[in-house]
Amino acid sequence: MATRLGLGLPQMRQYDLGKDVPDVARAAERTGYESLWVFERALFPEPATQGLYGIEGLPWPDAYRNVADPLVTLTLAAAATERALLGTSVLVAPLHVPFQLAKALASLDAASGGRVVAGFGTGWSLDEYAAASVRPFEERGRVLDELIEVCRAVWGPDPVVYDGRLTKIASAVVGPKPARPVPILLAASGPRARRRLVDHADGWLPVGVGADAVAAQWRELRELAEERGRTEPIRTVLRINAQYQAKAYDGDGRRPFQGSVDQIVEDLAAHAEIGLDEILLDLQGSARDAEELKDVAAEVYEKARAAGI
């Protein structure tokens, strides 16, 4: 069975949000991509008080200076497409009020005919938490726990009742409801986060850090699921942040998914062998504009399918 392929939507400043998002979404669906994805970056601190991913001295990519809101981007894509799933990889969940996010995702799922995949993470940027979080950074795990519970409650049958630290719903009718149960996937890189995933989520959103490393993480997650008595399958969507260039990269130490289309497809093949359900390929950062993004995405898709991916 071929690995499902998804594409990251254009959210960065070289794109025209209102024109390019629907255009790329329609083109990707016609090409054959089965899902469309967004990520979240709320702001760009200047000067940076913290390195990228919280790693001291690691600079933030300049592309993060202008990243469109993920739910606005998905809404534009939903209106322009008919079949492709609409996913978040990831929403930094504690930057959102749980009830409002649950209602927004339910509305988007109802409007799109049941196509939303809710991918959540806790993030790492102290500046984003200072600007937007409903609770301090140190409480991010507890906020995510409550947000998952609120989503399940709001998306479930009426009357909705919930009594949490952030959210209190005495008894209410909350609509619209999702067209079908919205799957919740988690980034889950640490031990506690993986236990949360196994116990409370539908799937996993790993990041492409090399085929061997991802395969090891996937093996550990399955072993944890067995230990904790989980019987439901874990849905998997691997996120790949690719750096496309027209000519093949011929330097030493090439990183995975860096280089020409052929080199990207070669790396896709290695990661597809892990046996994950889906691979999300984000090419937007290295494309000059929407036309190049569409062309490269189509070429990658065609060559990947020709290679049996």
Side-chain angles (χ1 to χ4, degrees), residues 129-213:
Y129 270 78
S133 178
V134 296
R135 296 297 299 167
F137 182 78
E138 292 74 21
E139 298 180 24
R140 61 196 182 280
R142 280 180 285 176
V143 175
L144 177 55
D145 288 336
E146 179 161 324
L147 187 140
I148 293 171
E149 292 176 354
V150 170
C151 283
R152 303 286 196 207
V154 168
W155 299 342
D158 293 321
V160 176
V161 177
Y162 185 82
D163 185 12
R165 295 174 66 247
L166 298 172
T167 310
K168 297 186 182 297
I169 309 170
S171 180
V173 175
V174 184
K177 299 296 184 184
R180 90 306 189 215
V182 176
I184 293 176
L185 281 61
L186 300 179
S189 57
R192 183 178 298 179
R194 291 181 182 179
R195 289 193 296 272
R196 178 186 295 114
L197 187 160
V198 166
D199 294 345
H200 302 296
D202 300 295
W204 180 44
L205 291 168
V207 176
V209 290
D212 291 343

Side-chain angles (χ1 to χ4, degrees), residues 215-293:
Q217 293 170 8
W218 178 220
R219 184 170 57 252
E220 292 168 3
L221 187 61
R222 284 178 292 169
E223 290 171 354
L224 179 63
E226 185 175 357
E227 290 173 9
R228 299 181 75 82
R230 177 173 175 138
T231 57
E232 299 87 355
I234 296 175
R235 182 172 178 172
T236 52
V237 182
L238 174 67
R239 182 183 183 90
I240 299 300
N241 296 312
Q243 293 295 317
Y244 160 76
Q245 58 187 46
K247 294 182 179 180
Y249 183 91
D250 57 4
D252 294 331
R254 182 181 73 88
R255 296 189 301 274
F257 300 99
Q258 175 193 58
S260 67
V261 166
D262 288 339
Q263 289 175 322
I264 290 171
V265 171
E266 179 183 329
D267 294 330
L268 273 175
H271 285 71
E273 291 178 1
I274 299 170
L276 303 180
D277 297 318
E278 185 167 352
I279 297 176
L280 147 64
L281 188 65
D282 197 327
L283 293 156
Q284 66 172 308
S286 53
R288 291 168 297 184
D289 53 30
E291 291 305 312
E292 183 175 46
L293 176 57

Side-chain angles (χ1 to χ4, degrees), residues 41 53 90-95 120-126 128-129 137 140 144 187:
R41 195 81 282 136
Y53 311 131
V90 296
L91 289 179
V92 184
L95 303 185
F120 298 146
T122 54
W124 47 266
S125 171
L126 300 178
E128 289 183 337
Y129 270 78
F137 182 78
R140 61 196 182 280
L144 177 55

Side-chain angles (χ1 to χ4, degrees), residues 72-92:
V72 171
T73 304
L74 272 192
T75 301
L76 290 166
T81 56
E82 297 177 354
R83 300 179 304 279
L85 296 179
L86 305 162
T88 61
S89 178
V90 296
L91 289 179
V92 184

